[in-house]
């Protein structure tokens, strides 16, 4: 299942943005949904993840206390990003996820399904 990320934009440091991850028509039924980002010239990195069965969440250390991932509806997962920093600037993608070895989020390694075009978040003063 390919998911679509949306909600990116321009924000100043300290401001907030809310990203959405949706699947058209069908219910999200994967083990987990993860957010991944890629900044210009950098490797892709895992950001936040939610296990759909029990709602347990995982975050990379640099976003803990600032980002919240939650399931909004049967086919939407959101990423609330508060107190944005310059280093949060990146293209954000969402994808289905399961335990694996591709990217680390919250001390666990995950594999991801196909991700779509992503949504650009730019933090600038």
């Amino acid at each position: 299942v390919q998911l679509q990320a949306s909600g990116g934009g321009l924000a100043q440091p300290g401001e907030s943005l809310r990203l959405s991850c949706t699947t058209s028509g069908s219910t999200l039924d994967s083990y987990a949904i993860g957010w991944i980002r890629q900044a210009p010239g950098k490797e892709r990195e895992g950001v936040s993840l939610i296990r759909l069965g029990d709602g347990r969440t995982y975050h990379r250390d640099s976003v803990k206390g600032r980002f919240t991932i939650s399931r909004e509806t049967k086919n939407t997962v959101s990423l609330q990003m508060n107190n944005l920093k310059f280093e949060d600037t990146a293209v954000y993608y969402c994808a289905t996820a399961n335990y694996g070895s591709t990217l680390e989020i919250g001390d666990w390694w995950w594999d991801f399904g196909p991700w779509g075009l992503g949504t650009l978040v730019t933090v600038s003063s």
Side-chain angles (χ1 to χ4, degrees):
V1 175
Q2 187 171 76
L3 306 178
Q4 181 62 51
S6 63
L10 177 64
Q12 294 186 348
E15 292 186 339
S16 299
L17 284 174
R18 187 178 187 88
L19 306 184
S20 291
C21 175
T22 60
T23 177
S24 58
S26 58
T27 300
L28 291 169
D29 60 359
S30 60
Y31 181 75
I33 300 295
W35 285 94
I36 308 99
R37 68 187 181 188
Q38 187 165 22
K42 294 189 177 181
E43 295 290 322
R44 195 165 285 181
E45 60 184 21
V47 178
S48 300
L49 182 140
I50 183 168
R51 292 192 327 199
L52 297 183
D54 61 6
R56 181 174 176 176
T57 61
Y58 303 79
H59 299 279
R60 67 181 299 107
D61 286 345
S62 63
V63 308
K64 285 180 180 177
R66 300 190 297 120
F67 288 13
T68 302
I69 185 171
S70 59
R71 185 173 191 172
E72 302 296 328
T73 68
K74 65 178 183 178
N75 60 355
T76 303
V77 167
S78 67
L79 183 69
Q80 177 68 39
M81 306 186 298
N82 297 330
N83 190 22
L84 284 163
K85 302 180 178 182
F86 293 120
E87 53 264 40
D88 295 320
T89 295
V91 178
Y92 285 70
Y93 306 85
C94 62
T96 58
N98 210 329
Y99 292 109
S101 59
T102 302
L103 290 173
E104 183 180 6
I105 304 177
D107 297 328
W108 293 89
W109 286 83
W110 307 88
D111 289 334
F112 297 90
W115 38 63
L117 295 177
T119 186
L120 176 62
V121 172
T122 303
V123 184
S124 176
S125 56

